[in-house]
Structure formats: structure tokens, C-alpha cells
Amino acid sequence: MFEAPYPPYDPQDKSRDSGSYETVVKRWPVIITNLIDHVHRLIHDLTMKSQALANSGSTDPAIQLKIEEGKGIIAKASHLKYRMARDQELEMIPEDGEFYVHEYNSELEKLSQAGKNTWFTAPWLYAECYLYRLFRSYFKQSTLWTDFDPFYAKKEETFRSSVTAIHQIATTMHELETEKKKLVDDPGKLSVLFKEMVQMCLWCVLTHDLSLLTHLTPSDIEHLQTVGREAQQARTEFILKDDQDAVWEYIKGLEPQAGTVARCDFVLDNVLISWKLFTDLVFADFLVTHTPYFSQVVFHPKLFPWFVSDVTPTDFYKTIESLLSPIFFNATMETTPESAHHLKEMVERWRRYLEQGIFRLSTAVEDGHKKAQFWTGPWPYWYMEDRANSLWRFLAESGLVIFKGDLKYVLLTGDVKWPATTPFATALGRPLAGSFPLLSLRTNKADVVVGISQGVADKLDEKDKGWRVNGKYALVSFLPKDRRE
């Protein structure tokens, strides 16, 4: 089993702008408080409903049970917040009928033996995974809150705010459809559009603007080949490792033979800004609709609410439903009947793709539920072959596996104090490195960074001490599959 030669980042390290220290001190307590407040508001609504029933001479035992269970969840979360603030020990995950109880507790026992089992001493990556697994146990042990997502309301709220950008992108995809034949026959145009798609996914947290990819006419596509390259070049200052050319050259060699399936896998990031899931779907649509290189996309969600906002199967299908709903979004000055039609046209295509198996959730493939469990485990991804061999073998059959987001990067590299000059392949570890063609799209919001020159790292340390965690910089890291026997 691969073991990193460097230790994980220390949550108690205050000597620099540490993402892990800020997480323990500020972010986790806020997340717990928001969970408590949300459940409390729901209990209030249930209490009002129960009182209204009582005033009419009737009762509903289920409502009262849900109120009492909700109070129990609040008590557990409040106790957790108290213990966290006082750097007390992480408690064992209870036997709640969910998977990986033994695995989390075994890791926790190892940390206890090493004296690293309190909230300020445990490795950040394990502690954050543990936190969401503990949240899951609070709801899983109930009767009426078992499938409740305490973060869904926030996900839905932020999705509604993306209406203008969503309509703009729908119009863009409509215009691309009219130029489909020209695009397929011109790899130069596809290359520029591919990079715009990559950067849309890369920077989508910071902007709802796809820049040059809005309202394309045939002449715009020609223009994009020159002006688009200039705009992309301007962004490279903030992309510290940029493998866009390398991955595109690799993709161009994937043109499938008739009757074969060239698959791309998306390991989904968060849906809190549901714009991120929307951009993933747009990117996937581009790959299978407008390029000759892929014929299927498999999306990998989490099985339960994870890191506040990671995509669950429920989130995925509700996103499709919401995009097709004529009343989900509030109309704005920037939306038009034409753009609404373009959105409906695009999302109906996605729904057809789901029906036809061109788009699939990984939970729908053979043994998919078991495969998906790994994404909510407490380990770096270099444990995949050992801990989730069926998932590892499944991804080994993919034409390209795209890992979206900062957390995925941290899990790929283990949140280890790698020198910034460490090659990406080294940080992935064996046997993960080279197991399948891997593309990581990441804006920097955590400490670990690899694959850049020492000169770049030193310069950034001097001019912007928060460059590792402030989201201003990004990494596009690609590693092809080894030709292993």
C-alpha cells in the first residue's frame, strides 16, 4: 500500500494562511450551526402544524415523532459543536446501519494511539470526512429523518440565482448545434471550445459568465479561434499548472470505432452553486454531442449529503426536473422566451440521453451502489484499488476520468505536505497514478499544491500568502493511463 513520504497538514499550524486551521476554527462551527438552525426551523413549522391539528380536535403521531427526533438531532449537533470548540476527542461513529462504520472507527483508533484524535490534532482530511459521516449517523438513526438532506434548501436557493447565466449558456448550446457539422470537421475550433468548457468548469464558482461562449454565430466561431486563444492566454497567469493542451491532444486520439463506446466519467463536485452541476452537464453534452471522441458519460455522485453540497442522486435528478419546470426560476430582464425554449430544448436532450444510456449515473451501473460507497470513505484516492477494486477496474475502462473541485484534488493527493515541485503522478501514488486517464480541475482552496516550479511557488508566497487557499489560482492536471499489462 502506498504511503506518502510527508506528513499531512497540521490544523494547529498558525504560521501561515492555513486552510485547515481556518476550517476547524471557523468553517466547521458555522456548518454545524446552520444545520441546527435549519432543523430548528422545520421543528417550529411542524409544531405549528401539530397545534393547528390539536385545535381542530385531531392529532398526527408521526408529526410528534418527527418533532422529538428532530430535537434529538439538534441535541447531538449542539453537543458536537461544544466538543469541537474545546478540542475534545472525536467519538466513535455509532452502528447506524450505514456503510463504513468499522472503517471510520478503525482509522480513529489508529489516530487515538498516535495522540491525534481530537478536533485540532486529527488530520484535516480524515476529520472533515468523519464530520459528514457523523452527520449522516444523526439522521440515519431516526425513523422520519432518515433520507433528509439538511443542506438541500441552500442548494436549491443558490441554483435559482443562476437563472440568467443558465439561459445564456442554453442559447450558446443551441447555436453550437446549428454548427455541429462544421465543428466536428474542424479540430482547431473544437480545441478552443473545449478549453472554454474546461475553464467554465474551472472558474464557475467565481463567475456565471462563460465569456466568449455566449451568443455564438458562425462568424463568432471563426473569431473565437483567434480572440478566444488570446483570452485563454490571459487567464493562464492564474492557472499555475496547465495541461489543457496535453489532455486535448490525448482526446483527439480517442476517436472510437463504429459500434464501440468511448466513455468519459465525471466525479461530481458540489451542487451548492448548482451552476457547477449545470456546467458539468453542459461540458458532458459538448463532449458527446459536438465532438466525435465520446459516446457516453457516467456521472459519479455521493450516496448521502457530503461536504455540505456534493451532488447526490436526488440532487442530480431534481436538477433536471427543475431545469424543465416553467416555474422554478424567476424571470429576469435577461431571460427571453427564446432562451427559455433553448433551455428546454437542451435539457430535454439530456433527459433523452439519460433514457438512452448516453448519460448515466454510476449508481445505475452494475454494482453501482457499492462502487459509489468509496467516495464517502475516509481515505485518499490512492486506496481505491485496495478499498474499492470494482470501482477502480470500472474507471480503468474509461476514456477519461474528470475529477472536479478542490476536495477531489485533496483526496487525489492526500492533503500531504508535498513540496510544490512534486510531480502530479508522484503525489497520486501507486497504483492510482496511471490506472486510468485522469484530469483534475481545481481552484486552490486548500493547502496542498503539486506540479509547479519552485520559482512560481516562491513568487506567490512573496506577493500573495493566501494563494494556496483563496480560490484565485487554479490547476489543470492531466495524467494519461499507463500501458500496463
Side-chain angles (χ1 to χ4, degrees), residues 4-171:
Y6 299 95
Y9 281 93
D10 183 357
Q12 298 183 92
D13 183 3
K14 306 177 192 177
S15 63
R16 55 188 173 78
D17 291 326
S18 169
S20 52
Y21 179 75
E22 285 293 305
T23 290
V24 180
V25 172
K26 296 180 180 179
R27 191 166 63 83
W28 286 345
V30 169
I31 290 168
I32 298 170
T33 299
N34 289 342
L35 184 151
I36 291 169
D37 289 347
H38 184 44
V39 175
H40 179 72
R41 287 194 299 271
L42 293 175
I43 290 174
H44 172 77
D45 293 342
L46 289 168
T47 301
M48 294 298 99
K49 185 175 181 180
S50 179
Q51 290 176 355
L53 287 173
N55 291 338
S56 65
S58 62
T59 60
D60 186 340
I63 292 179
Q64 195 56 42
L65 175 60
K66 192 165 186 177
I67 290 171
E68 293 307 314
E69 288 184 337
K71 290 178 179 178
I73 290 167
I74 288 175
K76 291 177 182 178
S78 299
H79 178 66
L80 170 64
K81 185 178 176 182
Y82 176 91
R83 292 179 61 83
M84 182 182 290
R86 288 154 183 80
D87 192 27
Q88 295 184 6
E89 295 180 354
L90 281 67
E91 302 174 285
M92 292 290 181
I93 302 289
E95 291 288 349
D96 57 5
E98 196 66 272
F99 54 87
Y100 285 166
V101 173
H102 172 72
E103 287 80 359
Y104 270 94
N105 289 341
S106 293
E107 294 294 324
L108 186 54
E109 181 59 35
K110 294 176 185 176
L111 291 174
S112 177
Q113 293 171 5
K116 298 280 189 179
N117 63 328
T118 69
W119 285 102
F120 281 84
T121 60
W124 170 84
L125 182 57
Y126 173 83
E128 181 131 11
C129 292
Y130 164 92
L131 178 65
Y132 290 95
R133 182 59 184 85
L134 188 64
F135 286 161
R136 175 60 178 156
S137 74
Y138 295 167
F139 296 97
K140 181 67 175 177
Q141 292 178 99
S142 71
T143 300
L144 298 177
W145 296 84
T146 301
D147 297 320
F148 179 71
D149 182 349
F151 312 116
Y152 181 75
K154 185 64 175 176
K155 299 174 188 178
E156 185 176 67
E157 175 189 338
T158 53
F159 193 20
R160 292 180 191 274
S161 70
S162 306
V163 56
T164 300
I166 285 171
H167 277 248
Q168 289 176 340
I169 300 307
T171 294

Side-chain angles (χ1 to χ4, degrees), residues 199 231-242 244:
Q199 295 191 36
Q232 289 167 4
Q233 187 64 35
R235 299 174 197 146
T236 59
E237 175 187 351
F238 300 98
I239 302 177
L240 306 179
K241 177 176 173 57
D242 190 353
Q244 292 181 87

